[in-house]
Amino acid sequence: MTKNLAPIDRIGRVVLGVVAAFSLLLLVAPSLIVVAISFEPRGFIAFPPSGFSLRWYEHVFANRQLTDSVVVSLWVSLAVAGITLALGVPAAFASVRGTFAGKAAANAFLLAPQMMPGMVIGIASLFFGAYFAFRASNAMLILALSVFCLPFVIRIAMARLAGLDPRLDEASANLGAGKLETFVRVTLPQLGPALVAAAAFTFIEAFDNVTVALFTSDVRGRPLPVELYYLVQYDSTPAIAAISALEIGLSFAIMLVLARTVGLERLGR
Amino acid sequence: MSHIALQDIAKSFGPVRVLDGCSVAVDKGTVMTLLGPSGCGKTTLLRTLAGFVEPDSGRVVVGGRDITDLPPNRRQVGYVFQSYALFPHLDVAANVAYGLRVRRVSQAETQARVRKALDLVSLSAYADRYPARLSGGQQQRVAIARALVLEPEVLLLDEPFNALDAKLRLSMQIELRKLIERVGITSIFVTHDQQEAMTLSDRVAVMRAGRIEQVGAPIDIYDRPRTAYVAAFIGRANVLPVDIRGGRVAPDPAIAAARADGAAWLVVRPENLAIENAGEGPGWHGTVAFATPQGATIEYEIAVGMAEPLRVVALRKVGEPPAAVGSPVRVRAVDPAACVVLGEGPDSV
């Protein structure tokens, strides 16, 4: 194949390969370095690590404040994934299949939070809460994160719905199924993979979001990202790296499960 | 009493009047084809019968029962979609079983009926395949089996051969015709292909702009088109402006016309015209404009001073050269009785 190329094209290929490899390295290296640092036996951050120890993992699991914040984050993320699915799927239906006045405007409005920086949503939620005398709390965090994540779910569900043949619904009706039965037997099974992907995305996004959480989370029982943010400021030990490594592991596990069940190429849409 | 009766169906989508008072009746066990160009409303009429389209006015009667107000899922009407609309997440057997599952038919009976339906369309070996791994012709047969397994009163097929390549199309048409005869189900096809209509149906309804233009056996419509539009849509036809004098067509008095003197239109098929030597005599005088030997026949275009040349198809003898372009000829009707005289021409709507 390559021997027919002109010299200039051959040089181009080499340059492209080098740039691609370097970019890939930049993407992956920080994660790998964090994982390496997490095994450092001494009490300060150093790379390369001076030895191998699981000391900081023990430290993390023994730290009540940290484990509590993990639990808070897990609950918050699950709730956000549930709420956004419950709201996003019907919204996607309306915006793909519905025919009503102002549909384009409604679509733009639904997807707007995606265009807004998370910090804006966080501050807006804080002021909104203050105005109505809501205290920053887990409930408020869940609400703000749901607003932030809803467009992801709507987008993914819309993309899948738009690809569904409406004739399938007619075929189902022709074979005797009512609307609900058609939804359960035909629409949902085909939407399923997209919904799993949307839920996973939302979960991961809600789990590691700092910008929204910083402004809306409870002072006691902070979620993990906010806890880490304070930890980094006051107590810079390899414990941070250990938590990060655990988070990388969690994301990796979720991606692996998705790749096996849904297929990664579907997640991009 | 006809098995299916569509009575005076009208339907508008916004400002567009898609169906403008359509009435069609189909006898039990026969095959009817709705034939017309795209946009004539034939698919909308079929969808009205299945309940996917609510007519603005008119009644839909099947087996003596008025089903106009029934939702689609409560009609006993099988429908085969143009795209087949197979459920991609279900295998062939599950696709065919779908209607039975919805009806909560027992597991054992479902299995038996699915097996029978797949046998009927010779797809038993493909029961556990998914639709994406079937050819177009196989998908079509699954769609038909999925409809027939419910033993509907009526089978509707929307351009079922459109997605198939030309070679497969003809054999599938014959297969389907045999299948329908075996099952004995009243069927309605939609197509824009007049050849398909001829192959498949007992009767044809030619549609135009939301109305039924003519209904009859395919060969009757071919022989006796009621309008120039029908004549041009079913087969090929010369539609010529003529004068009627004393109950005879002026250029060729051999053709009788049972109408008053004055302007009229003559429909004559290309194979019903013959070329004779030039000279005095009845017929159309002109010159050969174009000749195409096609093996068994020769197709001529004869310029006779009208907007369109006359099209003539003549049988060809081996070794016979076609008439030279530019040579003067006289064209006459072979069988005067096979010509049709109409009051209105091709342009009037």
Side-chain angles (χ1 to χ4, degrees), chain A residues 148-205:
Chain A
F148 184 64
C149 293
L150 193 57
F152 288 107
V153 175
I154 294 179
R155 281 228 155 168
I156 294 173
M158 269 176 79
R160 184 73 191 116
L161 264 179
L164 281 193
D165 183 359
R167 296 272 182 263
L168 294 182
D169 288 22
E170 288 183 352
S172 173
N174 181 253
L175 296 168
K179 285 212 160 73
L180 183 67
E181 191 154 15
T182 296
F183 182 78
V184 173
R185 282 181 183 271
V186 176
T187 315
L188 212 52
Q190 297 192 74
L191 227 46
L195 296 189
V196 172
F201 256 145
T202 320
F203 183 85
I204 294 174
E205 178 61 36

Side-chain angles (χ1 to χ4, degrees), chain A:
Chain A
M1 286 292 283
T2 43
K3 64 185 162 203
N4 295 331
L5 289 175
I8 182 81
D9 287 337
R10 223 175 288 176
I11 294 170
R13 283 201 167 198
V14 171
V15 171
L16 190 67
V18 169
V19 170
F22 187 65
S23 309
L24 210 60
L25 188 71
L26 280 187
L27 279 175
V28 179
S31 303
L32 293 180
I33 288 173
V34 164
V35 173
I37 291 173
S38 72
F39 297 121
E40 169 66 51
R42 292 171 298 175
F44 50 88
I45 288 171
F47 183 82
S50 61
F52 180 87
S53 126
L54 292 176
R55 170 182 166 203
W56 292 108
Y57 286 88
E58 276 168 40
H59 178 84
V60 165
F61 285 112
N63 185 334
R64 191 61 200 278
Q65 209 170 342
L66 271 178
T67 50
D68 280 356
S69 72
V70 168
V71 171
V72 168
S73 270
L74 281 176
W75 279 118
V76 166
S77 308
L78 276 179
V80 169
I83 289 173
T84 49
L85 271 191
L87 293 178
V89 173
F93 255 92
S95 61
V96 172
R97 295 254 170 108
T99 45
F100 52 91
K103 185 170 145 178
N107 275 0
F109 181 75
L110 282 175
L111 298 178
Q114 206 172 24
M115 307 296 159
M116 240 184 284
M119 192 174 279
V120 173
I121 291 176
I123 293 175
S125 305
L126 184 67
F127 286 179
F128 179 85
Y131 186 79
F132 290 100
F134 286 153
R135 213 159 42 82
S137 63
N138 285 342
M140 191 140 126
L141 176 61
I142 289 171
L143 232 63
L145 279 177
S146 295
V147 170
F148 184 64
C149 293
L150 193 57
F152 288 107
V153 175
I154 294 179
R155 281 228 155 168
I156 294 173
M158 269 176 79
R160 184 73 191 116
L161 264 179
L164 281 193
D165 183 359
R167 296 272 182 263
L168 294 182
D169 288 22
E170 288 183 352
S172 173
N174 181 253
L175 296 168
K179 285 212 160 73
L180 183 67
E181 191 154 15
T182 296
F183 182 78
V184 173
R185 282 181 183 271
V186 176
T187 315
L188 212 52
Q190 297 192 74
L191 227 46
L195 296 189
V196 172
F201 256 145
T202 320
F203 183 85
I204 294 174
E205 178 61 36
F207 195 81
D208 78 1
N209 179 287
V210 187
T211 48
V212 175
L214 209 48
F215 297 98
T216 49
S217 60
D218 206 334
V219 187
R220 288 154 300 171
R222 289 191 287 233
L224 185 61
V226 178
E227 191 64 42
L228 283 183
Y229 176 77
Y230 286 116
L231 205 62
V232 150
Q233 283 184 328
Y234 302 117
D235 181 23
S236 199
T237 64
I240 305 278
I243 297 168
S244 305
L246 287 173
E247 270 205 67
I248 291 168
L250 177 70
S251 297
F252 197 74
I254 292 178
M255 292 306 254
L256 199 67
V257 168
L258 284 179
R260 283 289 157 85
T261 54
V262 186
L264 276 183
E265 71 282 3
R266 283 202 180 162
L267 297 183
R269 291 195 309 184

Side-chain angles (χ1 to χ4, degrees), chain B residues 46-67:
Chain B
L46 201 71
R47 289 169 59 77
T48 306
L49 187 45
F52 303 140
V53 171
E54 268 180 62
D56 298 336
S57 65
R59 312 305 299 167
V60 179
V61 180
V62 174
R65 204 157 71 99
D66 187 331
I67 61 166

Side-chain angles (χ1 to χ4, degrees), chain B residues 4-301:
Chain B
I4 304 172
L6 292 156
Q7 297 162 356
D8 214 21
I9 306 284
K11 176 70 187 178
S12 297
F13 292 119
V16 186
R17 200 160 171 79
V18 181
L19 293 177
D20 194 11
C22 275
S23 296
V24 183
V26 187
D27 287 335
K28 196 166 176 66
T30 63
V31 179
M32 164 74 90
T33 295
L34 303 177
L35 177 66
S38 56
C40 74
K42 55 192 191 302
T43 295
T44 306
L45 192 60
L46 201 71
R47 289 169 59 77
T48 306
L49 187 45
F52 303 140
V53 171
E54 268 180 62
D56 298 336
S57 65
R59 312 305 299 167
V60 179
V61 180
V62 174
R65 204 157 71 99
D66 187 331
I67 61 166
T68 316
D69 299 321
L70 279 187
N73 56 327
R74 296 190 37 215
R75 299 185 182 199
Q76 303 290 314
V77 171
Y79 199 101
V80 175
F81 291 83
Q82 190 175 346
S83 57
Y84 311 135
L86 300 180
F87 303 122
H89 61 294
L90 300 177
D91 65 17
V92 167
N95 262 284
V96 176
Y98 188 89
L100 300 169
R101 298 251 158 84
V102 167
R103 282 170 177 71
R104 314 275 182 261
V105 173
S106 75
Q107 190 72 25
E109 192 190 335
T110 300
Q111 276 180 6
R113 280 169 74 175
V114 167
R115 201 175 311 127
K116 222 177 97 196
L118 286 179
D119 272 347
L120 190 69
V121 295
S122 326
L123 276 180
S124 305
Y126 297 86
D128 50 7
R129 286 249 190 132
Y130 282 84
R133 292 194 51 230
L134 296 177
S135 72
Q138 290 166 339
Q139 289 186 24
Q140 185 199 51
R141 275 141 68 196
V142 175
I144 291 168
R146 186 175 69 173
L148 286 182
V149 76
L150 300 175
E151 293 164 6
E153 296 177 72
V154 178
L155 184 64
L156 308 179
L157 303 102
D158 182 12
E159 308 239 10
F161 303 104
N162 240 21
L164 304 183
D165 62 66
K167 219 173 183 180
L168 191 59
R169 203 174 290 184
L170 191 65
S171 67
M172 283 303 287
Q173 283 169 9
I174 294 166
E175 281 306 307
L176 189 54
R177 183 68 225 240
K178 284 188 199 157
L179 177 64
I180 286 172
E181 261 160 32
R182 232 180 308 152
V183 181
I185 187 170
T186 313
S187 310
I188 302 184
F189 277 89
V190 155
T191 183
H192 61 263
D193 180 345
Q194 53 106 1
Q195 192 59 52
E196 198 172 298
M198 292 240 168
T199 310
L200 284 170
S201 36
D202 299 310
R203 287 167 74 76
V204 173
V206 183
M207 289 186 68
R208 176 196 200 181
R211 289 178 157 277
I212 307 280
E213 192 99 339
Q214 186 173 354
V215 184
I219 222 63
D220 289 345
I221 293 183
Y222 184 84
D223 288 347
R224 295 283 147 206
R226 208 173 290 154
T227 64
Y229 171 84
V230 172
F233 205 85
I234 306 265
R236 297 195 306 164
N238 296 292
V239 182
L240 318 170
V242 290
D243 275 325
I244 307 293
R245 277 181 224 136
R248 303 257 143 206
V249 173
D252 194 343
I255 305 168
R259 55 171 58 240
D261 286 7
W265 294 84
L266 181 73
V267 175
V268 50
R269 302 284 177 190
E271 67 272 18
N272 193 26
L273 286 175
I275 292 177
E276 298 185 2
N277 290 328
E280 289 305 302
W284 290 267
H285 298 264
T287 55
V288 175
F290 207 74
T292 329
Q294 299 218 312
T297 58
I298 304 176
E299 297 206 25
Y300 288 105
E301 287 189 5

